[in-house]
Amino acid sequence: MDFNVKKLASDAGVFFTRAVQFTEEKLGQAEKTELDPHLENLITRADSTKNWTEKILKQTEVLLQPNPSARIEEFIYDKLDKKLPSRTTNAELLGQYMLDAAIEFGSDTPYGKTLITVAEYQKRLGGAEREFLHTSAVTFLSPLRNFLEGDWRTISKERRLLENRRLDLDICKARLKKAKLAEAKAAKKSCLQKSVSTDEEHKDLKLLSEEVDKAEHELRVAQTEFDRQAEVTRLLLEGISSTHLNHLRCLQDFAEAQATYYAQCHHYMQDLQRELNRCANAVSAPHSSASVCPNPVSPAFLSGPASSGAAVPAASSSSSQKPVTLAMEQSQLPVTGARKARVLYDYDAHDTSELSLLADELITVYTVPGMDPDWLIGERGNEKGKVPVTYLELLS
């Protein structure tokens, strides 16, 4: 107990001395040891990295979860080191409501069937969103948090130690300066006295000389500790460059996750439009199918801008004009020949008449008379089936 009280008193004395030194430096009443320019630049760069990382992290959290209450809940679970319960996405909730409405209205009615179809794709959108949120949290948010809660805390701790070592060094410098002034003043006083110096005066001079030697020794120790701590801090701060490289990779992963998510959403909505178009064609009269359910995909994907001119009359023409329009659209692709195509996105076949696709693979495609212009016949080895044109890049 006695040792702890003494240590506490000693620590309090050191803290008070440092506080006095720091205050005098702020008031311009004491000299301050300046850090070398390279270390100052590293500190400035580290502070900037910390500040912008905090802002980017916070805004990304807002982007991924706009609900403040949900973010607070996630924060609490994270601090308690507990797994966050699975939360239904808004799209999934909407899909469930549509399914419930379809059951109540009648799943065999046109409205009920459409509700079921849209609900299925809403749930797919919700699943894609869930996957995107999980991927972003793992590949982007977690590394940023780890830097702020791990590496940055270590850097801050070493910087505080460096600041304490600098204050101790400046205190030792001031103490040595004061001791030398006292010694010089006593020596000058002794020389001016005409009478012979007494033994007591010699003792005082000796004590002052010993005080100077002690101050010089303390200064050397303080300088050594300051230099060592400056080197440790410098090495940690230079690691910020590695942090930037790591955050760069994380940012690329985040952008890739975003691109994948939005591409999935785009594909799902295209498939949904196609399904709705089929449903509309099934319940509409042949002469009005084109006007009731217009083609959701522009024929411009077939062969470039030249096909867009044929798409406009195709959507607004009557049944008597459809053979002419069909012939014009079919002329954009070889009827008897075949050509290669690169698959842009994954595609899952909806029935046995279609062919499933994998992104970046090459397949052979061709069209046949009377075929829907939004579809082609695709071949891959012994497999054959219909494939959507919007999922392909036709090669010359």
Side-chain angles (χ1 to χ4, degrees):
M1 182 66 182
D2 184 57
F3 172 79
N4 291 336
V5 171
K6 289 182 178 179
K7 186 177 185 301
L8 180 62
S10 176
D11 291 343
V14 171
F15 177 79
F16 178 76
T17 305
R18 289 172 177 169
V20 172
Q21 176 70 21
F22 184 79
T23 303
E24 290 179 349
E25 288 177 357
K26 290 297 182 181
L27 297 176
Q29 299 175 358
E31 295 182 2
K32 176 181 177 181
T33 300
E34 299 293 341
L35 302 177
D36 66 85
H38 176 61
L39 186 56
E40 289 282 5
N41 291 334
L42 290 176
I43 290 176
T44 302
R45 186 170 181 238
D47 288 336
S48 178
T49 300
K50 181 253 184 183
N51 293 334
W52 283 112
T53 300
E54 285 181 334
K55 293 180 180 179
I56 292 173
L57 174 62
K58 182 178 180 180
Q59 192 57 39
T60 305
E61 290 174 340
V62 173
L63 172 68
L64 298 179
Q65 180 50 265
N67 188 343
S69 300
R71 292 201 304 273
I72 293 175
E73 182 183 1
E74 292 175 358
F75 175 79
I76 293 175
Y77 272 92
D78 180 64
K79 291 303 178 183
L80 295 177
D81 198 19
K82 291 185 177 181
K83 184 178 180 181
L84 183 69
S86 179
R87 183 184 291 112
T88 304
T89 63
N90 292 328
E92 290 174 323
L93 188 60
L94 175 60
Q96 187 59 48
Y97 286 166
M98 289 182 173
L99 285 178
D100 295 341
I103 293 175
E104 184 168 343
F105 297 152
S107 59
D108 55 345
T109 64
Y111 184 38
K113 291 180 180 179
T114 304
L115 279 173
I116 293 175
T117 302
V118 176
E120 176 187 353
Y121 283 93
Q122 289 299 326
K123 288 193 172 185
R124 292 186 185 182
L125 291 173
E129 180 184 359
R130 186 191 301 277
E131 180 65 23
F132 169 60
L133 294 177
H134 173 72
T135 303
S136 300
V138 172
T139 62
F140 190 60
L141 295 183
S142 292
L144 297 187
R145 287 198 193 98
N146 292 339
F147 166 71
L148 294 174
E149 298 176 1
D151 296 347
W152 182 253
R153 288 185 178 180
T154 302
I155 292 174
S156 299
K157 178 182 176 182
E158 296 301 328
R159 284 178 60 181
R160 287 193 298 269
L161 287 176
L162 177 62
E163 182 67 11
N164 291 337
R165 295 291 180 267
R166 186 194 63 77
L167 290 172
D168 292 343
L169 177 61
D170 290 338
I171 290 171
C172 290
K173 288 180 178 180
R175 189 176 298 159
L176 176 60
K177 183 178 180 180
K178 184 177 180 181
K180 286 185 175 181
L181 288 175
E183 182 187 30
K185 184 177 180 181
K188 183 178 180 181
K189 181 179 178 181
S190 177
C191 292
L192 292 176
Q193 289 180 346
K194 296 181 180 179
S195 59
V196 180
S197 300
T198 62
D199 292 339
E200 188 172 343
E201 291 177 345
H202 283 295
K203 289 181 180 180
D204 292 341
L205 288 174
K206 185 177 181 181
L207 289 174
L208 290 173
S209 178
E210 291 176 353
E211 192 69 25
V212 170
D213 293 340
K214 181 182 177 181
E216 289 177 343
H217 173 71
E218 291 177 350
L219 177 60
R220 287 193 295 271
V221 172
Q223 185 69 55
T224 301
E225 293 179 350
F226 171 77
D227 293 341
R228 184 185 301 115
Q229 186 60 39
E231 181 65 17
V232 171
T233 306
R234 182 185 64 80
L235 291 175
L236 286 174
L237 293 174
E238 287 178 346
I240 292 293
S241 298
S242 299
T243 300
H244 284 186
L245 291 176
N246 182 41
H247 288 181
L248 170 61
R249 290 190 291 269
C250 295
L251 182 61
Q252 291 172 339
D253 292 340
F254 175 65
E256 182 178 353
Q258 270 189 314
T260 301
Y261 168 62
Y262 290 125
Q264 286 178 328
C265 293
H266 177 68
H267 300 161
Y268 289 150
M269 296 312 297
Q270 280 193 321
D271 291 343
L272 175 58
Q273 286 180 311
R274 193 172 293 111
E275 291 290 339
L276 295 179
N277 192 28
R278 289 176 180 175
C279 294
N281 290 335
V283 300
S284 302
H287 67 277
S288 59
S289 61
S291 59
V292 174
C293 295
N295 186 359
V297 182
S298 172
F301 286 100
L302 293 176
S303 61
S307 62
S308 60
V312 177
S316 58
S317 61
S318 62
S319 58
S320 61
Q321 295 174 311
K322 291 182 69 175
V324 178
T325 304
L326 182 62
M328 292 174 62
E329 290 172 339
Q330 290 176 352
S331 65
Q332 296 162 0
L333 291 172
V335 176
T336 57
R339 61 195 299 183
K340 291 290 185 179
R342 185 174 69 87
V343 179
L344 299 176
Y345 320 106
D346 292 347
Y347 178 74
D348 295 328
H350 293 82
D351 52 50
T352 56
S353 67
E354 298 180 3
L355 179 66
S356 295
L357 303 174
L358 294 176
D360 295 328
E361 69 174 333
L362 293 177
I363 62 173
T364 301
V365 295
Y366 57 89
T367 186
V368 294
M371 188 175 180
D372 188 334
D374 294 328
W375 295 81
L376 295 171
I377 299 298
E379 288 187 356
R380 181 182 54 232
N382 296 327
E383 297 179 306
K384 182 193 303 185
K386 294 192 301 180
V387 293
V389 173
T390 54
Y391 282 64
L392 304 174
E393 177 186 1
L394 300 178
L395 305 177
S396 58

